[in-house]
Amino acid sequence: MRISFTALTHEGPRDVVADVDDRATVGGVARALAAGGEGLWADGRMLDPRAPAARELRDGAVVGF
């Protein structure tokens, strides 16, 4: 599954296209985006790093670190 979203980073917004499968987690996506695997936030809450990425991340979402 391909998910397109915007990550708000220390260096400004970054458009991201992630190819994820059933095993991909939010934490895995976070680690791929930033060294150290900072937490991802969306809709005013920290996303569970163990949660499936395909369930938590949506096309067009804006997420923060």
Side-chain angles (χ1 to χ4, degrees):
M1 166 185 249
R2 182 169 285 176
I3 304 169
S4 300
F5 59 94
T6 300
L8 302 178
T9 70
H10 308 293
E11 298 167 3
R14 179 175 165 193
D15 291 330
V16 177
V17 177
D19 286 315
V20 299
D21 61 20
D22 293 341
R23 296 171 294 158
T25 63
V26 169
V29 172
R31 282 189 297 278
L33 292 174
E38 299 177 34
L40 292 182
W41 290 74
D43 297 327
R45 65 181 178 90
M46 184 173 179
L47 302 178
D48 181 351
R50 298 165 296 175
R55 185 182 77 205
E56 295 290 337
L57 300 172
R58 298 280 181 247
D59 276 335
V62 176
V63 300
F65 284 91

